[in-house]
């Protein structure tokens, strides 16, 4: 496909200009309040050092908006190094002070893919967390093709009845957008099959399994109005098949990506923050499952934007309301400009084929 060729070329160009990171540079962690399945409680976030997402490192070039692979080692990492860095970050935070905590493990790819995270490292990480005695929820990310019964059997042999959430980047319920504009490489049916497997294991084996869907807000070649509608429709679809929770990810311009190339050519802008507010307010009114809105890059030149007067206020409100799940009430003069763009955006929808966008 043309989109795969373009993504691969841009990704390769980015790799040539950037030195791979060391495992120590990749590893990171932070600790703060977050909305869990029980309540708002302390959550430990750990980024594990990995070679990077196999989809992005392969012939596909990865997704059009994602640059996580540029922040990885690009080479396999031995289990000893992964565990050393994991344990160092584990010791940096006062997790023993809490009765219950949630741990979110990010691998800049798929936690369930043994190439990205070796099985023995995965098993030892899980054993360490369970041994702490106060970890009530473990959250990981994976592409659907790595969600396999034998892998989940191995995980639950270690974690017992601990809640285990698998977060999958569905991005949109629209197959055309996901395949042709995001270059995700899997269909809606693939996503449903992974979810159905987890539902089956939950019912037949009693596993405490949850599924979260990431929803991407405003891919390339999508108008502002389409971005809003597609995000809301995707949320409704997720609820209809029994997804447990949602996380909206508004576009931010990352280096070495197709979306950056469009942005530099004046063919793309990230969504308005007002669009994000419209999405989250509508979803919280119409859907019963928890829905979070990521605020990375809000108010910056490369991220979702409003005017200077309200961008910061709305960012803080969204962060706070992620915990309460309440709607966002706010007004600003720039809202009229946003409404005008939404009402007229489809008139200016780009019909330019991807192959005609200059690469450099």
């Amino acid at each position: 496909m043309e989109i795969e060729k373009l993504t691969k070329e841009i990704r390769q160009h980015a790799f040539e200009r950037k030195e791979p990171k060391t495992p120590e540079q990749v590893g990171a962690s932070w600790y703060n309040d977050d909305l869990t399945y029980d309540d708002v409680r302390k959550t430990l976030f750990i980024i594990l050092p990995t070679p990077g997402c196999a989809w992005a490192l392969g012939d596909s070039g990865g997704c059009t908006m994602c640059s996580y692979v540029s922040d990885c080692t690009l080479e396999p990492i031995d289990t000893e190094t992964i565990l050393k860095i994991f344990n160092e970050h584990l010791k940096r935070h006062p997790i023993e002070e809490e009765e219950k905590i949630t741990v979110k493990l990010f691998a800049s790819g798929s936690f369930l893919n043994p190439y990205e995270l070796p099985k023995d490292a995965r098993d030892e990480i899980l054993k360490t967390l369970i041994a702490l005695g106060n970890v009530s929820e473990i959250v990981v990310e994976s592409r659907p093709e790595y969600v396999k019964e034998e892998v989940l059997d191995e995980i639950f042999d270690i974690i017992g009845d601990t809640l285990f959430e698998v977060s999958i980047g569905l991005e949109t319920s629209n197959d055309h957008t996901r395949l042709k504009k995001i270059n995700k490489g899997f269909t809606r049916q693939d996503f449903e099959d992974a979810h159905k497997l987890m539902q089956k294991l939950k019912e037949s084996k009693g596993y405490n399994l949850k599924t979260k869907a990431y929803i991407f807000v405003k891919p390339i070649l999508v108008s502002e109005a389409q971005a809003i509608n597609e995000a809301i429709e995707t949320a409704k679809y997720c609820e209809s098949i029994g997804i447990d929770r949602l996380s909206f990810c508004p576009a931010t311009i990352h280096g070495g990506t197709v979306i950056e190339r469009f942005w530099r050519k004046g063919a793309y802008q990230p969504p308005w923050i007002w669009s994000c507010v419209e999405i989250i307010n509508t979803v919280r009114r119409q859907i019963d499952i928890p829905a979070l809105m990521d605020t990375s890059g809000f108010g910056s030149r490369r991220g979702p934007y409003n005017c200077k007067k309200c961008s910061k206020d709305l960012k803080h409100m969204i962060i706070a309301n992620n915990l309460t799940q309440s709607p966002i009430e706010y007004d600003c003069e720039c809202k009229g400009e946003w409404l005008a763009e939404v009402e007229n955006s489809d008139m200016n929808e780009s019909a330019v084929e991807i192959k005609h966008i200059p690469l450099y």
Side-chain angles (χ1 to χ4, degrees):
M1 289 193 301
E2 196 68 37
I3 185 64
E4 286 191 1
K5 180 181 177 182
L6 180 61
T7 307
K8 179 70 174 177
E9 289 182 23
I10 291 177
R11 185 84 63 192
Q12 191 58 46
H13 183 67
F15 287 161
E16 291 170 359
R17 293 180 299 165
K18 191 168 185 177
E19 288 294 323
K21 290 191 173 183
T22 66
E24 290 74 18
Q25 290 174 316
V26 172
S29 62
W30 60 97
Y31 186 59
N32 54 241
D33 288 335
D34 198 26
L35 183 66
T36 71
Y37 282 92
D38 283 337
D39 200 352
V40 176
R41 65 174 75 254
K42 292 295 183 184
T43 299
L44 174 63
F45 301 77
I46 298 182
I47 298 178
L48 300 168
T50 68
C53 174
W55 174 247
L57 293 173
D59 290 337
S60 73
C63 303
T64 55
M65 73 291 195
C66 181
S67 69
Y68 286 158
V69 71
S70 297
D71 296 321
C72 293
T73 64
L74 307 183
E75 297 290 343
I77 308 171
D78 62 87
T79 293
E80 183 179 355
T81 300
I82 294 172
L83 294 177
K84 174 178 173 290
I85 294 170
F86 166 75
N87 285 304
E88 286 174 354
H89 282 278
L90 199 61
K91 294 173 183 176
R92 294 182 183 183
H93 308 280
I95 55 179
E96 70 284 347
E97 297 177 2
E98 301 295 324
E99 181 183 353
K100 290 182 179 180
I101 66 165
T102 291
V103 177
K104 296 189 175 184
L105 300 168
F106 301 131
S108 297
S110 296
F111 182 88
L112 303 182
N113 179 3
Y115 168 76
E116 297 174 45
L117 183 68
K119 178 185 180 303
D120 51 354
R122 182 195 74 204
D123 290 352
E124 193 59 37
I125 287 169
L126 295 175
K127 289 175 183 177
T128 299
L129 293 178
I130 296 305
L132 293 173
N134 64 344
V135 176
S136 60
E137 300 179 10
I138 299 171
V139 177
V140 303
E141 300 174 333
S142 180
R143 287 176 59 86
E145 60 262 39
Y146 305 117
V147 179
K148 300 177 180 178
E149 184 168 356
E150 59 269 26
V151 173
L152 293 170
D153 285 341
E154 292 165 354
I155 287 172
F156 276 91
D157 280 345
I158 296 171
I159 70 172
D161 60 359
T162 303
L163 187 150
F164 190 77
E165 179 190 87
V166 180
S167 306
I168 302 175
L170 170 66
E171 317 302 1
T172 172
S173 56
N174 184 309
D175 269 345
H176 179 77
T177 299
R178 189 183 326 96
L179 295 171
K180 303 293 186 179
K181 300 177 183 179
I182 299 177
N183 193 37
K184 200 73 188 182
F186 64 80
T187 65
R188 190 169 79 173
Q189 188 60 55
D190 295 329
F191 173 79
E192 287 186 24
D193 289 345
H195 172 61
K196 287 176 182 176
L197 172 62
M198 288 189 279
Q199 290 293 93
K200 185 194 83 169
L201 295 177
K202 183 177 179 178
E203 295 168 4
S204 64
K205 298 185 178 181
Y207 293 167
N208 194 357
L209 265 169
K210 302 287 187 182
T211 309
K212 179 171 70 185
Y214 289 120
I215 300 174
F216 187 61
V217 180
K218 201 177 179 186
I220 56 172
L221 303 176
V222 169
S223 72
E224 198 78 15
Q226 287 176 318
I228 295 168
N229 293 334
E230 197 163 304
I232 293 169
E233 287 305 309
T234 301
K236 291 178 180 178
Y237 156 76
C238 287
E239 184 185 44
S240 74
I241 66 169
I243 299 301
D244 295 290
R245 60 196 296 164
L246 309 171
S247 182
F248 291 96
C249 304
T252 298
I253 309 299
H254 295 286
T257 62
V258 172
I259 206 168
E260 184 193 43
R261 183 57 48 202
F262 275 54
W263 176 69
R264 288 188 179 278
K265 296 294 180 181
Y268 178 84
Q269 281 293 332
W272 283 75
I273 297 176
W274 286 122
S275 296
C276 302
V277 171
E278 176 69 15
I279 290 166
I280 204 67
N281 280 351
T282 302
V283 167
R284 287 177 182 161
R285 285 195 306 267
Q286 299 182 4
I287 293 177
D288 290 332
I289 56 178
L292 309 174
M293 176 67 70
D294 182 40
T295 58
S296 299
F298 270 42
S300 70
R301 191 169 68 94
R302 287 175 169 253
Y305 61 92
N306 277 2
C307 69
K308 291 182 179 180
K309 181 180 177 181
C310 70
S311 290
K312 185 180 292 186
D313 286 347
L314 280 169
K315 176 177 180 176
H316 292 315
M317 288 182 73
I318 291 171
I319 292 171
N321 289 31
N322 277 339
L323 302 182
T324 63
Q325 291 292 289
S326 53
I328 296 158
E329 303 294 339
Y330 192 90
D331 206 357
C332 182
E333 294 174 357
C334 70
K335 194 171 185 178
E337 185 180 347
W338 163 74
L339 282 169
E341 179 171 337
V342 170
E343 291 170 0
N344 296 288
S345 60
D346 288 340
M347 294 172 60
N348 300 318
E349 181 184 354
S350 174
V352 178
E353 292 291 336
I354 288 174
K355 62 184 178 181
H356 295 308
I357 298 291
L359 184 57
Y360 302 117

